Amino acid sequence: MLKGKTALVTGSTSGIGLGMAMALARQGANVMLNGFGDVETARAEVSRLGTRVSYHGADMSKAIEIEAMVRACEAEFGSLDILVNNAGIQHVAKVEDFPVDRWDAIIAINLTSAFHTTRLALPGMKRRNWGRVLNIASVHGLVASAEKSAYVAAKHGIVGFTKTVALEAATTGVTVNAICPGWVLTPLVQKQVDARAAQAGISNDDAKRQLLAEKQPSLQFTTPEQLADLAVFLCSPAADNIRGVAWNVDGGWVAQ
Ligand code: NAD
């Protein structure tokens, strides 16, 4: 379905981003990966799917590196058609204890980076009259949890940003939408499970059960594959007129 298209997925060396990159590659899209950590394993996993795969190590907190990445993607593949703004970090602390550098990093990586990638990718998408911008927000773009002020502010911000850009592109073939996952068991959440287990002196499995029971009525983690299948749907012609939505995949979290 996506043969001939190029996807740039930020933060795709792990978790949800890697799932998105694999699903888009399975549909035939060329993929540019980005992110830190085990780059080679991610690259090998996506390359196995038979499309062209590239990697750029831009730090998503740095505008100049983001611009270099977008330009490199366009130069290497000839276009950037599907932009998945996924890179994100978390820090948990009460607002009066929140480290200033963590606040700045969360706003830069989880919110401002999407402004930069979008402003740079949009002109080419509009010229070709086809594009997809998928912002990986969170249920925390719709509702709050205590001790996550920076994350909740950034995610509410990206939901608002999604709606604005969707309106600006509404008469073109470029759609802009957000996906809002609840708990997904990735390294980002495993850290919170570990912290809970250590603090309460309980097992990892009990910490997972507690985490789910507090917020996610299905008592099941959403998987990166489920989110990636939604992304593929949002890239399909059936989704041509879906614009500016914040689509939660959260086991009932925000229905409460
Ligand atoms: P993860 O920790 O598995 O992956 C995060 C990715 O971002 C990694 O590839 C990492 O290298 C990359 N990254 C981090 N800082 C970066 C930087 N400065 N520059 C470039 N890349 C950077 O986390 P995940 O759970 O897969 O999270 C992906 C996105 O999904 C995030 O935006 C997160 O907020 C969102 N999300 C996650 C959950 C969840 O339950 N896991 C729920 C809702 C939303």
Side-chain angles (χ1 to χ4, degrees):
M1 186 180 83
L2 298 175
K3 224 173 172 33
K5 307 282 192 213
T6 296
L8 168 61
V9 186
T10 71
S12 45
T13 50
S14 157
I16 295 168
L18 180 56
M20 296 274 161
M22 291 181 71
L24 294 170
R26 243 179 242 116
Q27 295 298 320
N30 301 319
V31 178
M32 178 171 268
L33 301 169
N34 158 260
F36 305 144
D38 193 353
V39 174
E40 283 322 309
T41 302
R43 198 181 178 130
E45 281 190 48
V46 185
S47 297
R48 227 176 281 132
L49 302 169
T51 49
R52 286 171 63 200
V53 181
S54 170
Y55 168 80
H56 197 286
D59 179 336
M60 297 304 288
S61 66
K62 302 206 163 78
I64 195 161
E65 295 186 21
I66 295 171
E67 177 155 12
M69 175 176 65
V70 171
R71 297 300 175 228
C73 182
E74 290 173 331
E76 183 167 353
F77 295 109
S79 65
L80 196 181
D81 308 292
I82 301 164
L83 169 63
V84 184
N85 288 310
N86 168 80
I89 57 169
Q90 175 63 288
H91 187 84
V92 181
K94 284 196 165 49
V95 67
E96 61 269 39
D97 303 326
F98 216 91
V100 171
D101 72 319
R102 289 299 81 202
W103 173 279
D104 289 343
I106 288 175
I107 299 298
I109 296 165
N110 297 20
L111 176 59
T112 308
S113 71
F115 159 66
H116 291 302
T117 52
T118 305
R119 75 181 170 82
L120 294 162
L122 213 55
M125 291 180 180
K126 283 185 173 166
R127 234 182 357 260
R128 291 182 294 275
N129 201 34
W130 195 92
R132 294 290 188 259
V133 180
L134 299 175
N135 293 325
I136 310 308
S138 164
V139 283
H140 286 115
L142 305 169
V143 294
S145 294
E147 303 192 4
K148 295 186 175 174
S149 55
Y151 189 85
V152 169
K155 295 299 188 182
H156 273 66
I158 203 163
V159 167
F161 179 71
T162 301
K163 293 176 184 173
T164 299
V165 184
L167 292 178
E168 290 177 11
T171 58
T172 74
V174 181
T175 71
V176 185
N177 293 293
I179 295 177
C180 298
W183 291 125
V184 186
L185 194 56
T186 64
L188 182 140
V189 164
Q190 187 60 49
K191 269 192 221 148
Q192 295 171 65
V193 170
D194 293 343
R196 180 182 285 257
Q199 206 173 22
I202 56 177
S203 71
N204 224 272
D205 281 348
D206 284 343
K208 282 182 199 158
R209 273 191 281 275
Q210 272 190 15
L211 199 81
L212 288 168
E214 272 173 15
K215 301 275 186 181
Q216 197 146 302
S218 67
L219 304 179
Q220 288 171 28
F221 289 101
T222 297
T223 65
E225 292 73 25
Q226 290 167 335
L227 298 170
D229 283 350
L230 174 57
V232 168
F233 167 71
L234 289 170
C235 290
S236 75
D240 277 354
N241 210 25
I242 298 179
R243 294 171 185 270
V245 306
W247 192 324
N248 44 311
V249 187
D250 63 357
W253 184 319
V254 305
Q256 298 169 95

